[in-house]
Structures are given as C-alpha cells and as structure tokens.
Amino acid sequence: MKSAYLGCAMSAVAAALCVASTVQAQTQNPPSEDSAQSEDNGRVSLHDIIVTAQKARTSLQHTVGSIIAVDGDRAAKEGKTTLSQVLRDSAGVQLMGTGASGQGFFVSIRGVGFAPVFGQDSPVTVSLNGVFQQRAQSTRALFYDIARVEVVKGPDSTLNGRNALGGSVTIIANDPSHRLEASGTAEIGNYGLLAGQAMVNIPIGDKLALRGAISSEGRNGYLSNGGSDSHVTGMRLRGLWEPNSKFKIILTADHAVQNGLGQQQSSTGLIDLTQPIKFPTGYWTSNNPSSGYRRFINDNYYADITADLGFAQLFVQPTYNRSRYQLESNTFSLLTYQTRLSQALASSHPDPTGIAGALAGTNGKEISRQDQKTLEVRLSSQPGARIKWLLGGYYLNNTEDTGVNQQGGTGYTTAARTTTLATTSVPATAVVDPGIAPPAFYSSYSPHREVRNLAAFGQITYPVTDRFRVTAGLRYTAERKLRNEQVGNLCVANSIQTSTCATSGSSSLNGTPINTTLFYLLDNGAAGTTTNNGAWSASNPTGNRVFFSVPAGRLDSNRLDYKVSAQYDLSPTSNVYALVSTGFKSGGFINIPPPSSGLLNPGFTSTFDPETMTSYEIGTKNDLLNHRWRLNFSAFIYDYRNYQFSYAAQVFSPTANLGYTTRTIDPDYTTTITANAARARTFGMELESTVILSPHDRFTLNISYLDAKFRTVNLAGGTAATVAFGQSLSGFALPRSPKFAISPGYSHVFDVGHAGTLVASMDGRFETESNLAIPSNAAALAAGWFRQPSFMKLNATLAFNPARGNWGVTAYIRNIGNVGTLQSISLPTSYTNTVPVFGALNQTAIGFEAADPRTYGVTITAKF
C-alpha cells in the first residue's frame, strides 16, 4: 500500500515538474524579498517572503517543507483580525472552537489536531514570538500589530520540540524600529461588534526604541442565549536596545484579558440518535438560558538577546508566561426541567414544578492558574555561510493548578428527591447519568500537574553542489510529568449536599476546597431497576456514593527525533525536495485508580504513552512566468504509532468490592479514558497556486487531499478494532480529515480616477464530509452523528485605497450564505446502547458548537 501511495505521489510531482519545466525558462530573474503578495495602491504583484521557521532567516520558496507565511499588513488591509480569519483559506489547516472546555480554539493541520480531553496535549504547537502558549486561546487577545504568521505543516519536533507532531503555528509581532511611526484600526460590525487597534513606535536616540500597541474588541454572542460572545483587550510593550551592530536586546511584556460568557455549546434537544443527523433548533439557537462569567488573563514576559560572536550568532530567549482562567456558571437546562416535570407529574409529586426546577439548575466555579518558564539558547552559523549549522538547548517548566466547585439540584429536601426517584419508571442508572441530567450533586477537586522538559537539538545544511543541498537534524528530549495525589470530592445521590460532604478538604485554592480523595459517581444500584443505596446521611455515609483515591504519579519519557532532507534547484526559481521527519506528542495520566487497586477491568491502565509519527514528504516549489505564477505542490505519508485515542468504556470491574458497600459497580457505567489504542496512516497531497493575471487581477487556488484512516485499533476491555459497543474502526477515517478541501480566491483592482483604487475580492472554502470525533455508540455513528457534512462557504471584501494618504477602508462579509458547520460535538459520557435514557432507547441530547454565522462589517486603517 505504501508503494502505491509513493507511486501516486511521484506521478503527481512529475506532473507538476512538467508544468514548471515548460515555463521556467521565462523565470530567470530572482525574486525580491519583501512580502508574499504586495500591493502598490491596490495593484497586485508577487514576491518572496523571509521566514524564520528554521530558526534562521530563509527564503520561503527555498525552505524545505510545506510552510505557510501570511503578511500581517496584508491581512489587516483585508479586515482579518484573528488567526482563524488569516488561515481560513490555507490548504490543510483548520481552526476549531471548543466551547465545552473553554479553551478557545485548537489548530488541526493535515488532519492532525483536536480538542484534547483532560490530561492530553494538543499535537500542534502555537507560539507568540517563539513563546510557547499552553492555552491557545491566549493568542486571540494578542493578535495585533502582527508582522506575519508562519505555519509549518508536518512534524516539527526537531526544532520546536514536544507536541509539534502535526506542525507549528507561530505568530510574529513587529519589532521596535528606529523610525517614528503610528497606526490605528477601527472596526464596526453586526452582533454589536466594536473593535480597535493602535500602535506607536518611538525612537530614543540611535540606540533605543519603544513600541507600544493596544487592541480591544467587544461583540455580542452568536447564540440566542448570548453565549459565544467576545470581550477582549490586549496590550503589548516592546523595548529595543542596540548599543552597536553586534548586540541587540528586545524586551517584551504582553497582557491579554478575555471576559464574558465565552464560547458555549448548544443542544439539539431530546432526539433519537438512530435517526439521521439534524438540528431542530438551528445551529445558533441554544435551549438553555445562560448566565455566568468567564475570565481569562494571560501575561508574557520575555527577552530576545542577539549577539554576533564573530564565528557564530548567539540567541538567548528567557520567558515567563502566566495565565489565569476563571469560570462561574449558573445555568438552567430547559430540557432537564421538562424531563423532570414529566417524571414528577407521572409520580403524582405534590410540587412537580418545584422539584423539576430544583433539579434543572447547576452552579459551578472553576479557577485555573498556570505558570510557565522557558529558556532557549541557540548558536548558529553566520548569515551567508556556505555550511549552515545550528546548535541549541531548551528548558521548560510548566505548573498548573485547577480548583473546581460544582453543585446542582439544590433547594429541595432529601425526602422529596427520594420520592421522585423511587416512583418513576426510569431506571436509576439513567437518572443519575451525569452527562444527561444529574440529580443533586456537589463536587470539588483540585488537580496539580507539572511538566519538566529538557532538550538539546542541532541541524546542519551542507551544499553538495551549488544546486544540491542536504540537511540533517536531531533533537533529544527528556520529559517528566508529575501530578499530586488526585484530589476531589463528589457527592451525588438521592440526597442534598451537606456540610460534611462539602468541607472535607484541609486547604483551598482561591477559595476552592482542596481535598485528599477523589470521589467518583458510580451508580451501584442494580441495572434496570429503581433500587438505590438509600439516602445519604451522617449515619449512612455510603448512600449512593462510591469513592477511592487516585495516587500521585510520575511519568518519564525520552525521545530522539530526527529530520533528513535533500533539495535540488531546477532553476533560480524552481526546486524539488524530499523530507523525512519525526515528531511526538506527550503521554499523560488518566483520572482512574491504578490496576493494582483491583477496581479495573483487565487491560486498563492509569497512564498513556507518547504518540509518535514518521512523515515522508516530497514536493516542488516554483515561481514561474517572471514571478507571476507561484505553484507549490507536496505529497506526504504519515505513519502513526501509539495513536492517542479517547473513548468511553466500562473501565471498572462490576465484581469489584469497593470496601464501602456490599454492592458492586454498575456494569453499565462508563467513563472517558485515553489510551494508545491505534496505528494509523495518512496519505495526502496539497497544491497551492497564485497567479497574477494582470496588474489588476489575482487568482488563488489551494487544494488538499487526505486519505487518513485507522489501520489497527486495540481497545482495552474489548476485541481488536472495536469500540466499546461493537463499532469497527479499522479503515475508519481519522477525525478532522476531509477527503478534499478546496479554497479558490479572486481579486480585481478598479481604478477610481485620481481618487485611488477599489479592490474587490471573493474567496471560498469547500470541504467534503469528515468525522468530528468517534462516538462510543454504534447507532449514533451509523446514523451520521459526529460527522460534518460537505459544505461551501463564501466571503467577500471591498477595499478602498486612496491615491494620497496612508489610510484605507475595507467592507467585508463572511459566510455569505450563513452556512452552519460544526466545530465540536459531544455525546453524554455515560450514554450506552444498553440502558434506556428517559425511558426510551437511544433518546438523549447532543451538545454541539457551531462555527461563526454570517458576519459583516467595516474596518478603517491609517498609518502615520
């Protein structure tokens, strides 16, 4: 199979080279090194761009591998003020929101990338000026005064280290300069959007300079309940000291704040999962009134120190990143209310509306704090050296503490609650399912995690001839992950929260109790009956409450990654390359007890190993027709090992005696775990084309093809290649891997006499269907749930550039057709095929998050 893929790839590259060779005789003039696409008063041209993806300044078109570079000034003129807008047309790149986790967004490159569950890392790194951002949403408030955005597609672990399995995204801000300048941008749009940015650069003598920038955005929510809003403020101050031509220091302080309800999931309402996918209330209508508060604060402090040592260039970057995340929620589920009201009426409860309302409310508070320190030191050859080399070292220490308090269904007596549960025909297993509609509960937990990473790396490029170069790189990484004794407390049953349950902790994190034992909800009543353990009380502390400890842990891993490439220049403007590289994503912990506890079914463990990949890529890069046509093509194969797979499974043994009750664990209870469950392989091809048809016309076309499938899947507790409920995954497409993605774009410049020019642009994106996730439910999978259908979105802009003056106005409309697409979708964790939910098999509610609806607005930019 691999030979067939390679044959197909070689044929495609040969076809691209045939086209290039036909026209390369006309392209002997070397390009200038300004920007990827420049505009002179709106008229378009095509130039090269200098990138630093290889930790050195290199020409984009002469750098081995698939790299995207987007100029910041051009993006601003087109009204693109977020990372997702800048990368929306890029081949093989997707940005997805994750309202359920509050993480903001995650990046997927060539099908590698997802919203990780607790304990997992993202397989694509996001950094700002080289500072790794553990929480990707921090870049939302820091995306302003940008020089460019660089995206490396494919494993980038040799230079960027851990978790660059699928690639890396680097946002590069403008450096201070010895020129007095200022700029500003104002934006207004629908959903009450008001946004603005401002920058000023002040030289102080001939050795010092200061550059300050601010950004602010306020927007109402896209959801009917006000959710998925945006209230963002960012500030950046950079100082330059350059005492001579051989030494330079840039000091930077970034501060970002995000407030509001934040991204949230909508709900389908109660539906039958065996029926085809549908969204009865629409993509942006939420059944649940939403109130609460999210606040995210992110600070970066770092220094870029550059020194010319004569024999080499020295670069040192110490950094400190601090982030604080706070979530306070007070939600009311209409679906839960209607369901409980029906149950209460059927049982002739004396106050049906009262108990239904009490059971439908949830209050929660989450506080997370993260502190990260890094140090990178690099020694590299001088610019222009015949043999280019680089040696470096990297250190990272990241600590994260999270405190969570949550309570639901408060305000009713134990007797009233027990009456409802005892008289309804709904099995107890379904009633206490935390993913659907829990009865009263109180929980608190506070995990502490720490990552220590130490790495050494090097790379050398040797010119065999003037036209043929080979590159080799190595990186050795030693990593240690630590966690404290998993701490928490969960009291869920037929009873009200009591002070004994709530205050078992001995210390606190910002007011959130820290306890010494994690209590898990495991309904150990007999499956399919209304049998309960009895109400919780001081004399019956085990009433429907099962608990155990998750001990402290340490996970050590070592990894040697490599990269080998060869590049040959067909002409000054055309080259071919071949690249083999590896990457890895860190392993982690699962919040379950160790196998030695005797509580687990055979095959389950409390840790998972790193995921690894080997990539084989060939490609060609060409600037043709005197730099009027840029044609790049690549083909690649990814070979995954230890693919980290999250799924719901019956982890706990139904025969285990927990020591606190004579009942056994309900065999229908499931929990989400992560395991190294699979091998997978991806074959893909990408074409990126930009044609300057005339000084007034530009046409772009980006096409990606992916054939990404599981090869073998071995899940603990089940047979090979089988999900917990019998769905075979061998040959199943990996999540977020559409077979085809096509992004065309066209712009035309209209002369408006002596006034200036109008630039009209339109672009779009078409994707074939793709899987968003792998559900643990065969009926849902067969009916098409968890799958994004094919779609097409169109965007348009109209920009005015005056003949005189450094200002401009851009009007835009995005997602013209108001096409609804999914960012994420989730099924309640404990849902199974074997247990009726609300009295009807396969009846439940699906949570989902939609991408942005139609938006439109106007931006005004000015430079001084």
Side-chain angles (χ1 to χ4, degrees):
M1 182 63 70
K2 183 181 291 188
S3 61
Y5 284 150
L6 287 174
C8 181
M10 293 298 291
S11 299
V13 171
L17 288 176
C18 182
V19 173
S21 63
T22 303
V23 296
Q24 69 178 353
Q26 307 177 49
T27 59
Q28 297 302 313
N29 296 325
S32 61
E33 297 179 345
D34 296 322
S35 61
Q37 295 176 38
S38 66
E39 294 188 8
D40 181 10
N41 204 26
R43 290 171 177 79
V44 293
S45 58
L46 195 61
H47 297 282
D48 203 357
I49 187 172
I50 298 301
V51 296
T52 55
Q54 301 298 309
K55 305 290 187 181
R57 290 173 56 84
T58 59
S59 160
L60 174 64
Q61 284 297 93
H62 287 83
T63 302
V64 173
S66 298
I67 301 174
I68 298 171
V70 181
D71 179 70
D73 284 342
R74 178 177 176 80
K77 287 182 178 180
E78 294 176 346
K80 298 177 180 178
T81 57
T82 67
L83 186 62
S84 60
Q85 293 164 8
V86 167
L87 298 179
R88 72 187 180 202
D89 302 325
S90 301
V93 179
Q94 295 177 315
L95 271 77
M96 54 204 137
T98 56
S101 64
Q103 295 295 303
F105 70 83
F106 286 88
V107 184
S108 174
I109 300 177
R110 293 174 169 176
V112 183
F114 57 92
V117 299
F118 185 83
Q120 278 189 281
D121 295 294
S122 172
V124 176
T125 63
V126 177
S127 62
L128 174 69
N129 292 331
V131 183
F132 173 64
Q133 304 293 303
Q134 181 72 26
R135 290 181 178 266
Q137 82 267 37
S138 62
T139 58
R140 176 63 190 89
L142 297 171
F143 199 84
Y144 56 93
D145 193 26
I146 298 301
R148 65 185 179 277
V149 176
E150 297 180 6
V151 179
V152 176
K153 295 188 284 186
D156 195 27
S157 291
T158 305
L159 293 179
N160 277 303
R162 61 189 298 270
N163 302 331
L165 180 83
S168 61
V169 178
T170 303
I171 301 169
I172 301 168
N174 286 304
D175 289 340
S177 65
H178 296 289
R179 183 176 62 179
L180 180 62
E181 59 179 331
S183 66
T185 300
E187 182 178 5
I188 185 172
N190 62 333
Y191 291 96
L193 172 65
L194 291 173
Q197 300 178 8
M199 179 279 297
V200 61
N201 188 96
I202 304 173
I204 305 174
D206 59 354
K207 293 180 173 58
L208 298 174
L210 290 176
R211 189 181 187 98
I214 59 174
S215 176
S216 179
E217 177 186 280
R219 174 180 54 75
N220 299 328
Y222 292 144
L223 299 183
S224 60
N225 66 354
S228 295
D229 58 347
S230 179
H231 300 278
V232 177
T233 301
M235 294 175 283
R236 179 181 300 124
L237 180 63
R238 311 195 77 187
L240 167 66
W241 180 47
E242 196 169 12
N244 54 58
S245 61
K246 294 183 179 295
F247 186 79
K248 179 173 68 174
I249 296 179
I250 298 178
L251 301 177
T252 304
D254 285 311
H255 176 70
V257 179
Q258 300 181 55
N259 295 314
L261 296 175
Q263 289 180 294
Q264 296 186 358
Q265 283 196 329
S266 300
S267 173
T268 58
L270 194 61
I271 56 174
D272 186 348
L273 288 182
T274 62
Q275 300 303 309
I277 185 171
K278 61 181 179 179
F279 298 92
T281 60
Y283 283 86
W284 299 284
T285 300
S286 177
N287 293 318
N288 302 325
S290 179
S291 62
Y293 178 73
R294 295 174 190 259
R295 182 176 178 86
F296 176 71
I297 301 175
N298 187 73
D299 296 309
N300 292 292
Y301 306 96
Y302 51 98
D304 297 328
I305 305 170
T306 305
D308 186 343
L309 304 181
F311 72 97
Q313 293 278 326
L314 175 67
F315 176 81
V316 180
Q317 186 187 58
T319 79
Y320 173 63
N321 170 260
R322 179 182 64 184
S323 65
R324 302 291 184 265
Y325 176 72
Q326 179 178 341
L327 166 64
E328 296 183 13
S329 62
N330 182 4
T331 61
F332 181 87
S333 170
L334 182 61
L335 174 63
T336 304
Y337 175 80
Q338 293 171 338
T339 303
R340 297 308 191 196
L341 180 61
S342 175
Q343 294 174 349
L345 291 172
S347 63
S348 300
H349 191 275
D351 185 7
T353 59
I355 191 169
L359 291 169
T362 300
N363 302 308
K365 182 177 182 180
E366 175 182 345
I367 298 175
S368 174
R369 67 186 184 194
Q370 178 180 277
D371 293 272
Q372 175 182 285
K373 305 178 186 69
T374 71
L375 175 65
E376 182 167 350
V377 180
R378 299 197 305 264
L379 199 64
S380 61
S381 57
Q382 292 284 6
R386 182 173 179 270
I387 299 176
K388 296 178 172 58
W389 56 269
L390 178 149
L391 293 172
Y394 182 79
Y395 168 77
L396 175 144
N397 181 269
N398 183 290
T399 61
E400 183 174 3
D401 294 275
T402 302
V404 177
N405 275 343
Q406 193 174 25
Q407 55 187 351
T410 58
Y412 242 82
T413 65
T414 299
R417 197 177 307 279
T418 304
T419 300
T420 298
L421 295 177
T423 57
T424 181
S425 60
V426 179
T429 304
V431 172
V432 300
D433 184 343
I436 301 172
F441 68 88
Y442 171 85
S443 66
S444 69
Y445 59 93
S446 181
H448 169 85
R449 296 184 297 172
E450 184 174 356
V451 178
R452 301 171 186 171
N453 182 281
L454 190 64
F457 57 92
Q459 181 170 294
I460 185 171
T461 299
Y462 179 77
V464 180
T465 70
D466 291 342
R467 305 177 71 174
F468 181 58
R469 298 169 296 280
V470 293
T471 299
L474 286 174
R475 186 185 188 101
Y476 178 78
T477 301
E479 181 171 279
R480 173 170 293 177
K481 284 191 171 183
L482 303 169
R483 72 173 179 189
N484 64 344
E485 181 177 6
Q486 194 68 7
V487 293
N489 187 350
L490 178 58
C491 300
V492 185
N494 307 327
S495 61
I496 288 296
Q497 158 200 345
T498 69
S499 58
T500 304
C501 248
T503 60
S504 59
S506 58
S507 58
S508 66
L509 167 65
N510 292 344
T512 300
I514 295 177
N515 307 292
T516 57
T517 307
L518 177 66
F519 299 85
Y520 267 74
L521 165 63
L522 300 174
D523 172 33
N524 50 7
T529 72
T530 58
T531 304
N532 297 305
N533 280 358
W536 186 95
S537 67
S539 60
N540 182 22
T542 61
N544 267 35
R545 185 179 68 169
V546 177
F547 54 97
F548 47 80
S549 295
V550 176
R554 189 180 86 178
L555 189 62
D556 293 323
S557 59
N558 301 286
R559 171 74 180 175
L560 181 65
D561 282 298
Y562 66 87
K563 175 173 69 174
V564 179
S565 69
Q567 186 179 41
Y568 181 76
D569 294 335
L570 300 173
S571 75
T573 58
S574 294
N575 65 80
V576 293
Y577 67 86
L579 170 66
V580 179
S581 58
T582 64
F584 82 101
K585 184 176 71 165
S586 299
F589 299 100
I590 308 171
N591 287 338
I592 59 176
S596 59
S597 66
L599 301 178
L600 307 183
N601 277 316
F604 291 103
T605 65
S606 55
T607 63
F608 56 93
D609 295 327
E611 175 183 319
T612 65
M613 178 202 290
T614 301
S615 169
Y616 308 88
E617 180 173 335
I618 55 177
T620 178
K621 296 184 176 184
N622 308 275
D623 276 348
L624 310 171
L625 300 176
N626 286 323
H627 313 295
R628 296 195 303 271
W629 182 16
R630 175 161 295 166
L631 177 64
N632 296 342
F633 178 83
S634 62
F636 56 91
I637 295 175
Y638 288 168
D639 191 4
Y640 292 89
R641 302 293 177 96
N642 283 335
Y643 187 94
Q644 292 174 4
F645 185 87
S646 296
Y647 64 105
Q650 290 93 352
V651 174
F652 300 98
S653 169
T655 61
N657 188 323
L658 302 179
Y660 300 99
T661 172
T662 58
R663 292 192 177 277
T664 59
I665 301 174
D666 190 330
D668 291 314
Y669 182 84
T670 65
T671 188
T672 298
I673 67 166
T674 299
N676 301 103
R679 288 190 62 184
R681 176 169 291 168
T682 295
F683 170 68
M685 295 185 289
E686 293 174 346
L687 182 143
E688 299 173 342
S689 174
T690 300
V691 183
I692 306 303
L693 302 173
S694 76
H696 294 77
D697 299 272
R698 180 183 71 242
F699 176 73
T700 62
L701 179 64
N702 297 322
I703 302 174
S704 67
Y705 168 81
L706 284 176
D707 182 20
K709 294 180 179 178
F710 288 105
R711 297 184 64 196
T712 59
V713 180
N714 298 287
L715 303 183
T719 60
T722 304
V723 178
F725 307 117
Q727 175 64 41
S728 175
L729 288 183
S730 181
F732 196 82
L734 299 181
R736 310 215 178 253
S737 301
K739 185 75 73 174
F740 285 98
I742 303 173
S743 299
Y746 175 75
S747 66
H748 179 77
V749 180
F750 296 91
D751 287 316
V752 191
H754 296 293
T757 59
L758 279 174
V759 183
S761 304
M762 177 168 282
D763 63 80
R765 186 177 182 93
F766 167 77
E767 284 189 14
T768 55
E769 70 174 11
S770 61
N771 296 317
L772 293 172
I774 307 298
S776 299
N777 177 271
L781 194 59
W785 291 94
F786 294 80
R787 187 176 299 144
Q788 169 60 56
S790 300
F791 69 89
M792 176 70 181
K793 292 184 179 182
L794 295 175
N795 315 285
T797 62
L798 183 64
F800 173 71
N801 301 299
R804 297 182 179 180
N806 292 322
W807 61 276
V809 180
T810 301
Y812 64 84
I813 179 169
R814 303 181 182 118
N815 191 7
I816 296 174
N818 204 34
V819 177
T821 56
L822 298 175
Q823 298 268 49
S824 63
I825 191 167
S826 60
L827 186 72
T829 301
S830 297
Y831 173 72
T832 76
N833 275 351
T834 59
V835 180
V837 181
F838 301 146
L841 186 65
N842 293 314
Q843 290 278 318
T844 189
I846 291 289
F848 66 92
E849 182 184 345
D852 295 355
R854 180 193 300 117
T855 58
Y856 51 85
V858 176
T859 63
I860 302 174
T861 61
K863 288 188 175 183
F864 309 95

